[in-house]
Amino acid sequence: MDSRYSPKDIEEKWYKTWQDAGAFKPQGHGPNKDKPFTIVIPPPNVTGALHMGHALNNTLQDVLTRFKRLQGYRTLWQPGTDHAGIATQSVVEKQLAKDGVKRQDLGREAFVAKVWEWKNEYGDRIVNQLMRLGSSCDWSRLRFTMDEGLSKAVREVFVRLYEDGLIYRGTRLINWCPKLQTALADEEVENKETKGHFWSIRYPLAGDPTQFITVSTTRPETMFGDVAVAVNAEDERYKHLIGTEVRIPGTTRTIPIIADEHADPAKGTGAVKITPAHDFNDYEVGKRHNLTPIIAMNLDATLNHQAGKYAGMNRFDARKAVVADLEEAGLLASVEDRVIPIPTCYRSGDVVEPYLLDQWFVNMKPLAVPALEAVEAGRTRFVPARYAKTYRDWLEPFKDWCISRQLWWGHQIPAWYVISETDGKRRQDTPFVVARTAEAARAQAKAKYGANSALIQEEDVLDTWFSSALWPFSTMGWPDKTPELATHYPTDVLVTDRGIIYFWVARMVFSGLKFLGKEPFHTVYITATILDEKGQRMSKSKGNGIDPIDMIEKYGADAMRFALMIMTTEGQDVKLSPVKLESGRNFANKLWNAVRFVLPHLEAAFGTAGIRDDLRYDDLHLADRWILSRLDETIRTVTENLEPPTLRFSDAAQALYRFTWDDFCSSYLEIRKKAITADAATLSPEGLAAKKQAVSVFATVVEKLITILHPFMPFITEEIRQALGREELLITSQWPSADTCKQLGIEASSAHDLEVMTKLLRIVDAIRSIRGDYALPPAHALEVRISCDDEPWRKIVEGHKDIIASLEKVGKISVEVNSAKPAFSAAGLIPEGRLFIPLEGILDPAQEKVRLTKELDKAEGYVAAQEKKLSNESFVKSAPAEVVEGERSKLQSQKDKVEKLKAALADLS
RNA sequence: GGGCGUUUAGCUCAGUUGGUUUAGAGCAUCUGCUUUACACGCAGAGGGUCGGGGGUUCAAGUCCCUCAACGCCCACCA
């Protein structure tokens, strides 16, 4: 073994070994064998590349998966990818554009074939990257949202929702992306603050063209779609005009002035133009007043014939032209600079147009109500809990979901229009049927509309999220009744980020409830957002991203995973810099070296390589009993913190770090080093027994430690397991119980052992502190005189002098009861006693005085504070007795300290 | 405009139901170490009164109010 742990050498090897062994498949063992534990991966886009968010998210899932697998659960981490309609279509379109080809040139079928080609060639990239991370997904069950099975689920859901009246087709004002030429759902529109203008325009009164009503707008080019001007009924300025008409400037068309609450007298001029086909608020106003919307724009965002001479101009040019003409005509009252939130498409970035179109919708209320109830009742819970509010706030308005997209890549809507032979064309009012297959559609059409008609399938595809919503059961074979569905649905924990609570989480919950009658998961763990070291979001455009694959190359997958886990405390976003991954790497190295150090001695002690089952524990050293107690505590802490819904990953990682580094390496190994490294060849039988025992305890601790560390650092722990000589893989071994001490029969003394060791370590601290203060080199052997307050404690210390000597370079150690301070000695306080280190020729009385005075001041300050607290009658009266008692004993021990320090100071002079 | 979050050592963060923490860790800094597992290491030291103000309480970093700064989400193109 090399003195530096080298992740590169082993990661690929182990990943392959696990896969070859089928270790990622759900199997289960031991008492939990028949209990399933299931996680479905948030399917990354096939176009995606692994970023730090994925790294965090998937590490969390892998930690849970490996933890539960070790506990013996029938564990499934279901992997897959998402077809990502717009994103994937765009990628392929861009590729075609390089050769000057448009998708329209190819036609739908050929284009879709191209996208499949692309998917088959590049779609595995992110999967391979997930493997680099160590993700223990059952890859034999890899699914894709456009697979035949999942597509069948999509059609099934569509048909059932339609039959239940929960899907309808209708003309509504929707969000239209002119660039992508498709409708979008509300959540797919992002408002971006942009500098713009607020124009006030004079509309001449029809009755008296010398008079005007001035309306304010940020979008003058939509005026050709105006159907009214609204004013507030309470607005004195305009009351008299209600019911009269105005003429739209530049046209001959007149429109009424109406009274509507939407007009806010405080905003602009208080008069608003109403354009129902191009504005969501106006759409509502139009409905209230029964006004027929006028569409003034084409789907490519150029103005149409309604705009007269501006017809054919794109919206932005038209805006400029209209404003210029209004100004020339003297109809522009004012222009104001203003920051305006502009709705933009989350994929293309183009400015979204509200547009009146025929689309497919999901009626949300009947689906949302049970989904809200599931969270309300706690059957699905969010971690951190506050995200339940985000979920609720989105679902509760019950806004219908526009699910049709005018794309080619996606699930084509299973609806067929029934075209009569005479007509041959599809119109808005063309009848249609909805069915699972074309044949079923034909049968239906025949029954309903007679035999003389042709069917044309709806060209629109479904929103990508429509298929993602079915992920927890479509991946398991639904609508068929498969064994995996029976075993693994509902799943357990969903790990995702807060950005897709609406897009995905909410929709999975209502879909699961609707079609399987059960919530798809009991816990939704919302991950932190990974930011750069300045606290900014990582993004391609900023170029501040950290590539996880680079980090794995540089520090190892284990190091990155561990660093992410230790940083991710509940709900707290993570500022990440490569420096932080160093601590993960250092930790791996620390563990590596501890094992590397002891391994040869294991062999030397027992005469065979590797760990053995006839380990010896007959006469355990205090340090042995102590580390085994600490091991049990650590097993308990890690187990509790990983158990859903606690999910305190950072606390678990922290406990592992502390135990490994501080207790196991810094204390235990140093104390037992001598016994471990003793030369077996020259040892007496007793000496050999002691060596065997020392290495046995070491091996026991390491074996359990790497097991509880395995979910966090799978590669290095598997490698260590092999180095220990175990043949079975760690990944499918058994999670330890916190009963090591019990099994070895040392449980009774655990509490006492922990206490004694802690006190002994404090004696070592006191010696080290004096050594540090006098800058004495580590090699300088110190004479230590320990003065204990009583005989029982003296006896214990006397019995464990070797522990002190193993951690500090000391010469003679004497342990007495209440001994006097030797001349020219430095003094230190220890539990139940004092400690003196003769430093003749080294001791500087002045420096020593400063040292002790500082400590004395602190202790006296504490005593003063405690006395004040305890002299407060209401404290003594109101506080619980054990608190008061605790405070009293704290005071007493500090008083003791003060006395001892005073004595030490007196001895100095 | 509405909601949520954050504000604790130079930096990045812990601190679970208010009381053995006049506040912990890692990094950084300083001092001393080629101590034969690890310099990706070992030992020691300095450094904060917990964003400001007010309140509740015997007791507040921890609860309430308020102000401020930063961040995120939602709404809003009149």
Side-chain angles (χ1 to χ4, degrees):
Chain A
M1 284 171 97
D2 195 57
S3 81
R4 290 242 171 130
Y5 166 61
S6 172
K8 267 193 183 157
D9 303 344
I10 67 159
E11 290 182 355
E12 206 185 325
K13 169 185 82 180
W14 284 118
Y15 201 82
K16 191 174 180 305
T17 305
W18 293 328
Q19 270 198 296
D20 292 349
F24 302 157
K25 291 185 198 293
Q27 36 207 341
H29 60 258
N32 295 326
K33 194 176 183 357
D34 296 322
K35 295 186 201 156
F37 182 82
T38 312
I39 293 181
V40 289
I41 202 169
N45 291 355
V46 274
T47 54
L50 197 76
H51 59 240
M52 270 298 166
H54 289 126
L56 170 63
N57 178 259
N58 288 288
T59 299
L60 289 162
Q61 293 174 71
D62 198 44
V63 167
L64 279 176
T65 299
R66 288 178 185 268
F67 168 56
K68 286 291 165 185
R69 186 183 290 121
L70 284 164
Q71 283 189 325
Y73 285 75
R74 176 174 277 273
T75 305
L76 169 63
W77 183 9
Q78 169 66 52
T81 52
D82 193 286
H83 69 280
I86 299 170
T88 313
Q89 176 164 325
S90 303
V91 166
V92 177
E93 281 186 287
K94 270 182 200 154
Q95 209 181 38
L96 289 173
K98 281 183 198 158
D99 304 326
V101 178
K102 284 192 196 152
R103 73 177 147 108
Q104 288 80 2
D105 302 338
L106 292 177
R108 183 169 189 145
E109 210 172 314
F111 177 77
V112 168
K114 276 265 176 225
V115 182
W116 274 108
E117 242 172 66
W118 185 92
K119 188 260 170 188
N120 292 333
E121 187 162 359
Y122 302 106
D124 284 346
R125 176 174 62 166
I126 190 134
V127 168
N128 292 326
Q129 290 178 322
L130 285 169
M131 291 176 173
R132 291 289 306 274
L133 192 65
S135 310
S136 60
C137 306
D138 182 357
W139 298 109
S140 70
R141 291 167 197 254
L142 183 67
R143 294 289 182 271
F144 178 55
T145 47
M146 293 267 283
D147 283 350
E148 181 41 41
L150 278 76
S151 301
K152 184 174 157 194
V154 165
R155 290 191 296 269
E156 180 71 21
V157 164
F158 189 95
V159 171
R160 284 210 212 164
L161 287 176
Y162 178 76
E163 286 171 353
D164 288 351
L166 295 176
I167 280 183
Y168 64 90
R169 183 169 157 260
T171 303
R172 301 279 183 283
L173 197 61
I174 50 90
N175 299 291
W176 178 258
C177 174
K179 190 164 179 186
L180 299 174
Q181 290 286 297
T182 182
L184 299 171
D186 293 347
E187 308 75 51
E188 294 175 304
V189 177
E190 289 173 348
N191 286 305
K192 287 204 178 130
E193 302 228 311
T194 314
K195 278 182 193 163
H197 303 282
F198 193 52
W199 288 278
S200 293
I201 303 166
R202 298 191 178 105
Y203 280 32
L205 301 188
D208 178 2
T210 64
Q211 299 291 306
F212 306 93
I213 186 163
T214 306
V215 301
S216 302
T217 180
T218 57
R219 303 203 57 193
E221 74 280 9
T222 63
M223 64 197 283
F224 308 107
D226 289 358
V227 296
V229 166
V231 298
N232 195 291
E234 307 299 312
D235 197 332
E236 295 299 332
R237 290 172 295 180
Y238 304 120
K239 251 184 175 167
H240 64 288
L241 293 174
I242 296 168
T244 67
E245 295 205 320
V246 291
R247 184 175 54 80
I248 300 172
T251 73
T252 55
R253 193 153 65 81
T254 58
I255 53 175
I257 295 178
I258 59 170
D260 191 275
E261 64 207 17
H262 171 60
D264 179 351
K267 272 190 184 171
T269 60
V272 211
K273 64 198 248 342
I274 301 299
T275 323
H278 299 284
D279 182 282
F280 285 98
N281 287 314
D282 293 2
Y283 183 68
E284 294 303 317
V285 176
K287 273 207 293 198
R288 278 200 287 273
H289 297 268
N290 234 337
L291 300 165
T292 308
I294 293 175
I295 297 173
M297 208 182 275
N298 300 308
L299 289 173
D300 63 356
T302 57
L303 300 198
N304 69 11
H305 66 279
Q306 295 285 352
K309 69 171 192 177
Y310 306 103
M313 287 175 90
N314 86 44
R315 53 192 161 161
F316 305 117
D317 294 339
R319 181 181 300 173
K320 278 184 206 145
V322 166
V323 169
D325 291 347
L326 286 170
E327 188 166 20
E328 208 182 302
L331 294 175
L332 189 63
S334 65
V335 187
E336 192 188 308
D337 288 339
R338 190 180 268 204
V339 174
I340 302 158
I342 305 286
T344 56
C345 169
Y346 80 140
R347 289 290 177 215
S348 73
D350 197 16
V351 176
V352 166
E353 283 298 331
Y355 207 101
L356 199 55
L357 276 176
D358 194 31
Q359 299 288 337
W360 294 86
F361 297 87
V362 173
N363 174 5
M364 284 296 294
K365 191 170 178 182
L367 294 167
V369 168
L372 283 164
E373 204 270 331
V375 170
E376 201 63 41
R379 290 193 300 276
T380 297
R381 75 174 91 194
F382 282 84
V383 179
R386 64 171 146 21
Y387 288 110
K389 187 173 160 54
T390 306
Y391 172 90
R392 192 174 60 233
D393 289 351
W394 181 74
L395 271 178
E396 218 155 40
F398 307 127
K399 284 166 77 180
D400 286 357
W401 174 19
C402 174
I403 50 172
S404 42
R405 298 289 178 274
Q406 290 66 49
L407 304 172
W408 286 354
W409 177 241
H411 301 282
Q412 204 170 340
I413 290 178
W416 282 264
Y417 293 95
V418 184
I419 312 279
S420 69
E421 276 183 340
T422 48
D423 189 336
K425 272 201 163 176
R426 184 198 139 194
R427 274 184 251 161
Q428 202 169 309
D429 57 357
T430 302
F432 61 86
V433 293
V434 167
R436 289 168 181 80
T437 61
E439 296 86 81
R442 256 191 298 280
Q444 225 188 99
K446 195 172 169 186
K448 269 191 188 165
Y449 304 103
N452 297 332
S453 48
L455 293 187
I456 298 179
Q457 188 173 358
E458 168 64 87
E459 294 201 342
D460 289 357
V461 300
L462 288 162
D463 182 359
T464 301
W465 296 104
F466 191 92
S467 54
S468 319
L470 320 181
W471 191 247
F473 49 90
S474 64
T475 49
M476 294 175 192
W478 187 92
D480 296 340
K481 288 199 167 88
T482 61
E484 49 267 63
L485 195 64
T487 307
H488 292 289
Y489 190 94
T491 74
D492 290 273
V493 181
L494 179 81
V495 180
T496 191
D497 70 276
R498 61 175 108 100
I500 54 177
I501 292 175
Y502 326 132
F503 280 117
W504 194 44
V505 180
R507 288 167 181 164
M508 279 193 287
V509 175
F510 69 64
S511 303
L513 285 168
K514 169 79 182 165
F515 295 101
L516 286 110
K518 282 180 195 158
E519 296 76 15
F521 24 74
H522 55 73
T523 302
V524 180
Y525 183 89
I526 300 294
T527 65
T529 302
I530 306 240
L531 307 169
D532 73 2
E533 46 202 311
K534 289 178 200 144
Q536 295 178 311
R537 270 201 133 84
M538 290 185 182
S539 71
K540 272 185 212 154
S541 52
K542 279 189 211 144
N544 62 344
I546 298 175
D547 181 350
I549 299 298
D550 289 350
M551 296 300 108
I552 290 171
E553 298 277 345
K554 194 163 176 198
Y555 301 105
D558 288 333
M560 184 175 75
R561 292 167 60 113
F562 195 81
L564 286 171
M565 289 303 98
I566 210 157
M567 284 188 293
T568 182
T569 51
E570 186 172 291
Q572 178 70 40
D573 288 348
V574 171
K575 287 184 201 169
L576 185 74
S577 61
V579 179
K580 290 191 174 172
L581 302 188
E582 282 179 16
S583 78
R585 178 201 58 187
N586 296 353
F587 179 60
N589 195 239
K590 186 76 181 175
L591 177 67
W592 180 256
N593 275 290
V595 174
R596 184 174 69 96
F597 169 53
V598 181
L599 219 50
H601 298 291
L602 193 62
E603 184 175 352
F606 287 96
T608 52
I611 204 164
R612 306 183 24 136
D613 290 319
D614 58 339
L615 298 173
R616 301 188 50 148
Y617 310 97
D618 11 274
D619 185 23
L620 292 172
H621 188 271
L622 171 63
D624 294 336
R625 299 197 306 269
W626 170 75
I627 198 67
L628 292 165
S629 272
R630 284 288 302 120
L631 173 69
D632 281 347
E633 280 186 345
T634 307
I635 293 171
R636 206 172 297 122
T637 304
V638 173
T639 309
E640 284 169 5
N641 281 305
L642 289 184
E643 192 61 53
T646 302
L647 303 176
R648 294 181 72 96
F649 296 93
S650 175
D651 287 356
Q654 198 87 240
L656 285 162
Y657 185 90
R658 291 265 81 92
F659 174 76
T660 305
W661 201 299
D662 298 345
D663 297 333
F664 191 50
C665 291
S666 295
S667 298
Y668 174 74
L669 214 47
E670 292 302 328
I671 292 168
R672 300 296 280 152
K673 200 175 239 178
K674 213 170 147 190
I676 289 169
T677 57
D679 181 359
T682 61
L683 282 175
S684 63
E686 298 79 40
L688 186 62
K691 184 183 171 92
K692 281 188 175 179
Q693 184 184 284
V695 294
S696 294
V697 171
F698 175 89
T700 304
V701 174
V702 166
E703 198 163 33
K704 295 199 181 188
L705 173 60
I706 57 169
T707 312
I708 58 174
L709 190 55
H710 180 261
F712 298 85
M713 306 183 107
F715 297 105
I716 190 174
T717 50
E718 190 72 80
E719 178 74 10
I720 289 172
R721 165 104 168 173
Q722 189 196 41
L724 286 174
R726 291 289 191 205
E727 282 179 12
E728 326 81 76
L729 289 171
L730 177 57
I731 185 174
T732 42
S733 67
Q734 182 67 45
W735 187 262
S737 322
D739 62 357
T740 320
C741 291
K742 195 174 170 190
Q743 282 178 8
L744 296 177
I746 55 167
E747 199 191 14
S749 67
S750 277
H752 184 248
D753 293 338
L754 283 170
E755 189 193 335
V756 170
M757 259 306 282
T758 305
K759 286 179 177 175
L760 290 170
L761 290 173
R762 290 242 212 107
I763 294 176
V764 173
D765 288 342
I767 299 168
R768 285 176 173 172
S769 179
I770 290 170
R771 185 190 293 280
D773 283 339
Y774 284 95
L776 301 170
H780 183 105
L782 297 170
E783 183 191 344
V784 177
R785 298 200 193 170
I786 297 168
S787 164
C788 296
D789 288 352
D790 56 35
E791 176 57 21
W793 176 228
R794 190 205 68 78
K795 243 179 132 169
I796 293 172
V797 176
E798 180 68 41
H800 296 296
K801 283 189 334 194
D802 67 307
I803 289 182
I804 297 166
S806 62
L807 292 169
E808 262 298 287
K809 179 82 175 171
V810 291
K812 209 177 103 192
I813 307 181
S814 63
V815 189
E816 291 164 25
V817 174
N818 288 324
S819 55
K821 180 177 182 295
F824 302 108
S825 63
L829 294 184
I830 59 170
E832 296 173 56
R834 290 199 284 168
L835 171 147
F836 309 112
I837 296 184
L839 290 172
E840 194 159 3
I842 296 169
L843 185 84
D844 173 357
Q847 191 188 339
E848 183 66 4
K849 201 171 167 184
V850 169
R851 239 173 49 88
L852 295 175
T853 306
K854 216 165 69 187
E855 248 189 284
L856 179 62
D857 285 350
K858 211 174 157 184
E860 280 183 328
Y862 196 93
V863 167
Q866 285 304 103
E867 277 180 337
K868 193 176 155 203
K869 191 184 262 184
L870 283 160
S871 65
N872 182 340
E873 273 181 42
S874 40
F875 168 68
V876 179
K877 214 168 57 194
S878 325
E882 69 260 26
V883 171
V884 176
E885 207 30 64
E887 296 299 318
R888 284 221 172 92
S889 73
K890 265 195 281 177
L891 172 63
Q892 196 46 51
S893 74
Q894 289 301 312
K895 271 185 167 168
D896 263 17
K897 203 168 167 180
V898 167
E899 286 318 303
K900 285 171 180 168
L901 285 164
K902 276 186 174 162
L905 273 165
D907 284 344
L908 266 182
S909 43

